Amino acid sequence: MLLTRASEYALLSLALIGESGEPKDAETLSRQLDISKSFLAKILQNLARSGILVSYKGARGGFALKKRFGEISILEVIEAAEGKSPSVFECSPAKECCPSDRASFCVIWPFLNKLQNRIDDFLKELTLQDILEQ
């Protein structure tokens, strides 16, 4: 699941909003990115709910960054856009929650869990500023 379209659109929207320096509305962003306005509006609302964006109402309203690029982790963007933590594998972080009920004898679970934790740590440290400077 790691990066779906929702995560991609969230990152692209944040880049455009941050670069503009002023609030951007969902309609303008959807035109710039050539994506569905309704889908993007839901993503932007999730980003606002999570404290990444602030929403302004009115004729000159829209969405603006609540934090600087360097303060926004990629992990928090993905979690806000997806509504859950990213998962590279279907494995659960806890053996007792294994979707296949085979965790007690799964020999690769410890490896997959360790890998997921490293990916989570990396995404936590990586900021929007880091990826925009690439």
Side-chain angles (χ1 to χ4, degrees), residues 16-81:
L16 289 174
I17 292 168
E19 289 170 354
S20 77
E22 58 185 43
K24 290 230 180 224
D25 61 274
E27 186 172 335
T28 301
L29 287 167
S30 71
R31 269 189 272 116
Q32 286 181 293
L33 296 169
D34 194 27
I35 57 177
S36 161
K37 179 186 166 190
S38 60
F39 184 47
L40 182 59
K42 289 177 189 175
I43 295 167
L44 295 171
Q45 290 165 358
N46 288 342
L47 292 171
R49 230 178 270 117
S50 70
I52 297 170
L53 291 175
V54 61
S55 173
Y56 296 101
K57 298 198 184 298
R60 300 187 73 114
F63 294 90
L65 293 180
K66 191 169 185 178
K67 307 174 185 180
R68 292 181 296 226
F69 281 161
E71 298 171 329
I72 302 170
S73 81
I74 300 307
L75 181 64
E76 72 179 307
V77 172
I78 294 169
E79 288 176 339

Side-chain angles (χ1 to χ4, degrees), residues 91-98 103 109 113:
C91 286
S92 170
K95 281 187 175 184
E96 52 278 350
C97 299
C98 176
W109 182 84
N113 191 47

Side-chain angles (χ1 to χ4, degrees), residues 102-114:
R102 296 181 180 157
S104 60
F105 57 89
C106 180
V107 296
I108 63 169
W109 182 84
F111 163 74
L112 295 177
N113 191 47
K114 191 175 191 178

